[in-house]
């Protein structure tokens, strides 16, 4: 049980205060519904527990997170409730405080964003308000150490009963006109751009392209940092290996330490610089309120496939890293929406797949490189959309009541940015990194030992991995692929997609041109684009929506990718035999998909008003109230 | 009067919230109630969602829901 609980409307600044009081780094954001479950921590240098509750609009719970808060209040009526109210939205926020007072619980009012409120011309007489409500009222800035210390002192005194105050219950309607005058609403220039339907998509494309360039582009910050991390890890690995050799340690042990342990840690660390850059931008978008605007603008695009605007960002993060994109689905409205998004995300081509695409495309299709790459990315997006649509149609149909409060645009402080960034990275290293490291160690073991557990060194063909590869190669026969090394590389890709190219290089130093024909390469390319997501993504899915779905996702995508590969091989072979231009085939496929999508989206539109959609109105134009023939 | 593209930027008053209780309560708890003044600020890319400004807050909702808000000119 917590002695102090933070309660209030979503995006009121509760988690920032919680972090200040406890010294923890819980995730914050300028976004409705960042906190989805109660978080507990101890007030710094004390034994008093403080609880951060999910945001609520009223004490009549509608959403799952509101239910968490409602249940908490009924079960912990002895706690001190710090009702967090943003001064900028005082009249709405104070309703929760009044509801708490009516419930008869010990309540104090904490005003946040007070500086912003005063700056925008608002007026609030705190002493008069405290006297009016007969409860303590404290104005704080969650990021200000002095304010947080003041609040901490108050909470400690109140809990230890050294703070004497009468908490009176009043059940009357309050009139705050004598104590409060609202801030002046000024038009925001940035909002005029971000909420313009012509400029917003353009800005969004620039923002996303810039983010990707800084994280993954040639000579970008992310790549430079990654190269530095790789060089440092190589140096460390070599130094340790030399030291162990000079100490006379047995070769398998040295290989285990340098390739298994250091290699495992290395595979995690090499991700971190680019992830840090991606997280940095993600945090910036979240905290500034840009993400909420993007969610609004693209909402109807996503509605068509059973998702809503909030899924936009997860999908775009998916182009960078599936595991992080999966993590970001946590902030989605409800569980079924989260499941649909989480299960559709693996089809979006992550940045780790790009080296595989490049190796195959450069080797076999140098002429139509750009078209083919775009085609592969497009296929990923279409399959993700199709998956979400199918799941919405047959498995997780949920009522879509997309109502969202648009948070104000805010500048993000460096302190807040670095704190949130650290939180994200910590989550990745502990929860996802540990899985990757364990798998890399296991992979090293599989490629270093034979089925009879003899050390095989560089003779991977005789290793456990080689044996498994030789068994699995039959799965690739319908793609015309008969070499076991291809199947081994595909298996290694399940651990981490980056491993495919590395494994191919390790197993086929002479290059892959001799292993595959163009038709087989295309089939393998399509297989790689769609098969099982890496283990870190699967681990995240398991953590978010359960092991059953992670298993279904892993096995389902593998089977799908196999059949997709078979079909691609069949089509490619037919095209080759018939001597048709491959670009024409791609064009025809894209055209068919586009026409089908357009037909599906306009099929049910009302022919009278062109506004009502789908079968909801059963052919009745809802404006004219007449049957459409 | 309908909440469509023709009323962008026009100040209106909510006459009635004609929707199920759950949706109505949601809007009321957000701070949108009958008698309040609202302005349609913007529509999403394909017009499926609408951004309303009421008092000093901005609320986004699906057009189907917004159309259940009966409004009149101020």
């Amino acid at each position: 049980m917590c002695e102090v609980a933070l309660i209030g409307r979503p995006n009121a600044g509760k988690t920032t205060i919680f972090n200040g009081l406890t010294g923890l780094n819980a995730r914050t954001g300028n976004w409705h519904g960042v906190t989805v479950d109660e978080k507990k921590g101890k007030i710094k240098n004390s034994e008093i527990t403080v609880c951060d509750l999910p945001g609520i609009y009223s004490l009549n719970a509608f959403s799952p997170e509101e239910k968490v808060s409602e249940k908490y209040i009924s079960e912990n009526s002895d706690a001190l409730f710090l009702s967090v109210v943003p001064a900028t939205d005082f009249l709405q926020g104070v309703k929760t405080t009044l509801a708490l007072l009516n419930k008869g619980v010990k309540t104090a009012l904490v005003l946040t964003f007070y500086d912003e409120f005063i700056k925008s011309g608002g007026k609030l007489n705190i002493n008069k308000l405290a006297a009016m409500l007969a409860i303590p009222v404290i104005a704080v800035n969650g990021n200000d150490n002095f304010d947080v210390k003041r609040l901490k002192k108050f909470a400690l005194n109140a809990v230890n009963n050294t703070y004497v105050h009468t908490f009176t219950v009043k059940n009357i309607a309050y009139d705050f006109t004598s104590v409060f005058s609202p801030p002046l609403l000024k038009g925001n220039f940035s909002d005029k751009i971000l909420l313009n339907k012509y400029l917003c998509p353009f800005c969004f494309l620039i923002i996303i392209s810039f983010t990707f360039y800084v994280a993954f582009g040639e000579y970008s910050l992310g790549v430079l940092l990654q190269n530095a991390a790789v060089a440092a890890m190589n140096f460390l690995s070599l130094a340790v290996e030399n030291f162990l050799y000079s100490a006379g340690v047995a070769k398998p042990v040295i290989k285990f330490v340098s390739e298994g342990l250091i290699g495992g840690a290395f595979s995690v660390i090499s991700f971190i610089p680019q992830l840090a850059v991606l997280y940095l931008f993600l945090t910036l978008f979240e905290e500034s309120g840009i993400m909420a605007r993007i969610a609004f603008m693209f909402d109807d695009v996503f509605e068509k496939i059973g998702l809503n605007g909030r899924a936009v960002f997860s999908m775009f993060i998916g182009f960078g890293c599936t595991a992080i994109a999966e993590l970001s689905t946590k902030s989605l409205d409800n569980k079924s929406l989260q499941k649909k998004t989480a299960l559709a995300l693996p089809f979006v081509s992550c940045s780790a797949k790009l080296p595989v695409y490049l190796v195959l495309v450069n080797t076999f299709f140098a002429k139509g490189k750009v078209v083919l790459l775009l085609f592969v990315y497009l296929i990923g997006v279409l399959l993700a959309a199709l998956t979400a649509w199918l799941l919405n149609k047959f498995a997780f149909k949920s009522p879509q009541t997309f109502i969202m409060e648009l948070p104000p645009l805010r500048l993000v402080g460096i302190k807040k940015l670095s704190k949130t960034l650290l939180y994200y990275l910590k989550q990745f290293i502990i929860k996802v990194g540990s899985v990757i490291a364990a798998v890399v160690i296991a992979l090293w073991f599989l490629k270093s030992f034979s089925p009879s557990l003899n050390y095989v060194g560089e003779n991977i063909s005789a290793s456990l991995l080689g044996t498994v590869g030789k068994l699995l190669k039959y799965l690739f026969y319908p793609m015309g692929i008969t070499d076991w090394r291809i199947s081994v590389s595909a298996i290694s890709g399940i651990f981490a997609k980056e491993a495919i190219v590395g494994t191919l290089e390790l197993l086929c130093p002479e290059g892959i041109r001799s292993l595959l024909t163009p038709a087989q390469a295309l089939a393998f390319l399509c297989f790689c684009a769609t098969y099982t997501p890496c283990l870190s993504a699967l681990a995240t899915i398991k953590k978010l929506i359960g092991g059953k779905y992670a298993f279904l996702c892993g096995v389902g995508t593998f089977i799908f990718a196999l059949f997709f590969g078979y079909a691609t091989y069949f089509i490619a072979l037919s095209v080759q035999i018939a001597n048709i231009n491959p670009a024409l085939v791609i064009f025809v496929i894209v055209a068919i998909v586009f026409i089908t999508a357009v037909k599906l989206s306009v099929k049910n539109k009302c022919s009278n008003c062109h506004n009502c959609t789908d079968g909801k109105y059963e052919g009745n134009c809802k404006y004219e109230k007449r049957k459409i023939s | 009067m309908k909440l469509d593209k023709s009323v962008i930027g026009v100040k209106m008053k909510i006459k009635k919230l004609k929707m199920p209780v759950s949706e109505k309560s949601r809007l009321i708890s957000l701070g949108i109630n009958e008698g309040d003044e609202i302005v349609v600020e913007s529509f999403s890319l394909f017009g499926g969602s609408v951004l309303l400004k009421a008092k000093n807050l901005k609320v986004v909702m699906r057009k189907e829901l917004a159309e259940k808000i009966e409004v009149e000119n101020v």
Side-chain angles (χ1 to χ4, degrees), chain B residues 44-61:
Chain B
S44 59
L45 204 57
F46 297 107
S49 298
V50 58
L51 171 66
L52 297 175
K53 196 162 95 178
K55 294 172 200 158
N56 61 341
L57 71 133
K58 288 178 177 178
V59 178
V60 169
M61 65 183 77

Side-chain angles (χ1 to χ4, degrees), chain A residues 71-108:
Chain A
K71 192 172 165 227
Y72 185 88
I73 299 164
S74 57
E75 286 174 0
N76 298 275
S77 50
D78 294 339
L80 166 69
F81 285 88
L82 295 179
S83 175
V84 182
V85 176
T88 42
D89 191 19
F90 173 75
L91 290 177
Q92 292 306 318
V94 79
K95 284 179 185 168
T96 315
T97 319
L98 296 179
L100 284 168
L101 285 172
N102 284 337
K103 276 200 175 257
V105 293
K106 203 166 153 185
T107 312

Side-chain angles (χ1 to χ4, degrees), chain A residues 489-503:
Chain A
S489 71
I491 300 302
S492 69
I494 296 176
F495 300 112
K497 291 287 174 279
E498 292 85 347
I500 302 176
V501 174
T503 313

Side-chain angles (χ1 to χ4, degrees), chain A residues 32 47 68 90 103 107 186 211 250 260 284 295 314 387 468 567 616:
Chain A
H32 159 107
E47 283 305 304
V68 172
F90 173 75
K103 276 200 175 257
T107 312
K186 281 180 269 178
T211 307
L284 205 62
S314 300
T387 309
V468 174
K616 278 179 211 165

Side-chain angles (χ1 to χ4, degrees), chain A residues 237-248:
Chain A
S237 170
L238 208 66
V240 171
E241 214 173 316
N242 286 340
F243 171 76
L244 292 175
Y245 268 121
S246 59

Side-chain angles (χ1 to χ4, degrees), chain A residues 325-354:
Chain A
E326 295 287 356
L327 259 183
S328 72
T329 60
K330 228 181 162 180
S331 63
L332 294 175
D333 280 80
N334 55 52
K335 210 70 188 166
S336 66
L337 184 62
Q338 188 187 17
K339 280 176 188 167
K340 281 184 271 185
T341 316
L343 295 173
L345 271 171
F347 285 113
V348 176
S349 287
C350 68
S351 63
K353 286 180 186 171
L354 189 61

